[in-house]
Amino acid sequence: MVLLALRRPGTKPVGDVTLAAVTATVVASWFGPGLYGNNLACGGTLTPATNGVAHKSLPCGTRLTVCYLRRCVRTRVVDRGPFVYGRTFDLAAGLARRLRFSGVHVVRWHL
């Protein structure tokens, strides 16, 4: 897990927190089957079409772009997690499908 860049020009207010624009490369996994129908921490229900990420500390609803193998998708934080050491994001099944992502891989993201 390597932090690539932290840029300061222009910060984005998210709720009562101000986050600097960030670009980072991190480890991610995905979640879905076996959890469909469960409530998401940020509201709503997990379905096979859910397009979002789980993150431990970014505020619910934070919009971000996730990139994997030259494919990028704009999404938002919809749940809390992952709860596995060394992983930063869990991608919901809908987002994983759009990125053609499966398993555990390195992704790039930015606000």
Side-chain angles (χ1 to χ4, degrees):
M1 195 175 346
V2 179
L3 182 64
L4 291 181
L6 181 59
R7 299 177 310 187
R8 192 96 179 123
T11 58
K12 296 184 177 188
V14 180
D16 59 351
V17 178
T18 300
L19 299 172
V22 172
T23 300
T25 300
V26 297
V27 177
S29 53
W30 71 284
F31 67 108
L35 300 173
Y36 296 142
N38 288 357
N39 292 329
L40 297 168
C42 301
T45 303
L46 183 65
T47 69
T50 301
N51 178 26
V53 298
H55 189 272
K56 291 178 191 159
S57 60
L58 285 174
C60 288
T62 298
R63 298 196 67 58
L64 62 145
T65 300
V66 177
C67 301
Y68 175 67
L69 297 180
R70 299 180 189 230
R71 288 180 288 278
C72 296
V73 176
R74 188 81 174 147
T75 190
R76 62 189 173 84
V77 175
V78 297
D79 203 8
R80 292 291 167 228
F83 298 105
V84 175
Y85 178 78
R87 296 186 196 165
T88 302
F89 290 109
D90 263 342
L91 312 182
L95 176 61
R97 188 171 35 261
R98 289 179 67 189
L99 290 171
R100 297 185 194 133
F101 178 99
S102 65
V104 178
H105 299 284
V106 172
V107 299
R108 194 174 72 253
W109 73 281
H110 61 88
L111 294 175

